[in-house]
Amino acid sequence: MKAAWFEAFGAPEEVLQTGEYTAPEPGHGEVLIRMKTSGVNPSDTKKRQGSFQNLLDGGPVIPNSDGAGVIEAVGPGVSHARIGERVWVYQAQFQRQHGTAAEYCAVESRRAVKLPEEVSFETGACLGIPVMTAHRSVFADGPVEGEVLFITGGAGRVGYYAIQWAKLAGAVVITTASNEESSHYCREAGADFVVNHKSDDMVEQVLDFTGGRKVDRVIDVEFGANLESVLDIIRVGGVIATYSSTVVPEPVLPFKRMMFMNLTIRMIIVYDMPEEAKQEAIEDIDEALRSNLLLHRIDKIYPLEDIAEANALIDSGEGYGCVIVNIED
């Protein structure tokens, strides 16, 4: 089969290869998918950079956890009725070598979710890491109806969907953006108020909008860099749900202040979400797709041969929407 892979850590143009690779066979409980698209996410490119130093101990890695395609075969224990299903895939390259950046991918049957006929394979490649992370960030600590949520980086992959999930559930959403284009995407997603996080009076703007009410929950893409401001706008007993801290990777916490505010800090990593949380996300995603309730932002689509360029876009921090690799010509 045609595939992309890396067998050393490093820059994308130096380590990513494309060519012929041995196709997998579906094992017990698995389905074999002919991939149409593969999603490239920061967690995928960080693995290529060496975030898990033992990742290559088992041999070369075909990257990417997300994607979409059609089931062509099933392994023992899986109904043959699944053959021919259009599916979106999540968690394909987690604790295993072979991800979605290939013509074929064999995964656990439960990691291949039926994709409605009216939904494109490109959209299907967006549904794993970005949409499921956003869902968990919004709903992990209970219903949000009537609450005020502060979502940082609302134009980003996760933030864009977090705004939508929160609004669909009846929350008031305040979000941050750094320029007018990003602000447009935040408003498009449904944000009630957008503030430039670079503004010296950001906290004052937020509290002016809420009439002095502090926010109930924060969903944060840059935990360490944003913590000082977040503590000024979150209420006692509030929740900070965070899935990234790139600018300040090892934050120092003002423990006493946070303790006396009785805050809950929830760290979110999509791969290790509880299975029941994954299933809840899948059910809500399916309903939203069938009812056409979610907007999707796709920054750029690359052919598989240009997967290094797709990785470079993610590494640059300039691509905020979904970055897709087309597997078929």
Side-chain angles (χ1 to χ4, degrees), residues 112-164:
V113 184
K114 193 167 184 178
L115 185 68
E117 289 293 331
E118 63 272 20
V119 179
S120 70
F121 290 118
E122 288 77 16
T123 295
C126 300
L127 301 177
I129 291 170
V131 184
M132 295 180 78
T133 299
H135 187 278
R136 179 68 172 164
S137 298
V138 172
F139 297 117
D141 294 278
V144 298
E145 184 175 7
E147 294 199 337
V148 179
L149 272 62
F150 182 68
I151 299 173
T152 66
R157 291 172 197 83
V158 175
Y160 187 69
Y161 287 111
I163 293 171
Q164 295 181 73

Side-chain angles (χ1 to χ4, degrees), residues 72-321:
E72 280 205 359
V74 298
V78 180
S79 170
H80 280 71
R82 294 215 67 185
I83 296 174
E85 273 188 20
R86 303 171 79 252
V87 294
W88 60 274
V89 181
Y90 71 99
Q91 208 166 301
Q93 201 278 293
F94 174 61
Q95 297 182 340
R96 58 201 300 274
Q97 303 305 109
H98 292 188
T100 62
E103 282 186 295
Y104 288 98
C105 182
V107 296
E108 286 182 86
S109 180
R110 62 178 173 170
R111 308 298 182 205
V113 184
K114 193 167 184 178
L115 185 68
E117 289 293 331
E118 63 272 20
V119 179
S120 70
F121 290 118
E122 288 77 16
T123 295
C126 300
L127 301 177
I129 291 170
V131 184
M132 295 180 78
T133 299
H135 187 278
R136 179 68 172 164
S137 298
V138 172
F139 297 117
D141 294 278
V144 298
E145 184 175 7
E147 294 199 337
V148 179
L149 272 62
F150 182 68
I151 299 173
T152 66
R157 291 172 197 83
V158 175
Y160 187 69
Y161 287 111
I163 293 171
Q164 295 181 73
W165 284 128
K167 291 304 298 178
L168 287 170
V172 174
V173 174
I174 302 167
T175 189
T176 65
S178 59
N179 55 57
E180 187 51 45
E181 182 182 14
S182 294
S183 296
H184 163 76
Y185 286 119
C186 292
R187 289 189 290 268
E188 175 186 70
D192 297 285
F193 183 65
V194 183
V195 60
N196 191 321
H197 69 271
K198 297 178 181 178
S199 299
D200 294 336
D201 64 342
M202 184 194 76
V203 171
E204 288 77 10
Q205 288 187 56
V206 170
L207 295 178
D208 282 347
F209 174 77
T210 64
R213 172 183 172 176
K214 294 200 171 182
V215 305
D216 299 290
R217 305 191 199 184
V218 174
I219 296 170
D220 199 357
V221 66
E222 281 294 351
F223 178 77
N226 295 331
L227 184 59
E228 183 177 351
S229 297
V230 163
L231 294 181
D232 288 336
I233 64 173
I234 193 169
R235 68 170 172 82
V236 172
V239 176
I240 302 172
T242 182
Y243 53 92
S244 182
S245 189
T246 302
V247 174
V248 184
E250 299 293 340
V252 176
L253 304 184
F255 177 78
K256 286 186 179 179
R257 182 182 181 189
M258 295 174 73
M259 180 179 70
F260 282 106
M261 291 179 71
N262 193 34
L263 296 179
T264 295
I265 311 299
R266 177 173 294 280
M267 307 290 186
I268 294 172
I269 181 72
V270 66
Y271 306 112
D272 283 323
M273 285 167 48
E275 287 299 326
E276 58 268 26
K278 293 174 186 175
Q279 190 56 45
E280 289 170 5
I282 288 167
E283 291 171 1
D284 285 350
I285 289 168
D286 185 68
E287 181 179 349
L289 291 175
R290 293 182 187 281
S291 301
N292 197 29
L293 295 177
L294 290 177
L295 299 174
H296 309 278
R297 280 184 63 203
I298 297 175
D299 264 356
K300 198 162 183 181
I301 300 174
Y302 295 86
L304 182 62
E305 291 74 15
D306 292 338
I307 191 171
E309 290 185 31
N311 273 239
L313 177 61
I314 296 290
D315 289 348
S316 72
E318 294 180 2
Y320 294 106

Side-chain angles (χ1 to χ4, degrees), residues 17-37:
Q17 306 176 55
T18 58
E20 291 297 314
Y21 206 95
T22 303
E25 296 287 341
H28 190 277
E30 292 186 335
V31 295
L32 180 68
I33 304 160
R34 186 175 182 90
M35 302 303 303
K36 304 289 187 178
T37 57

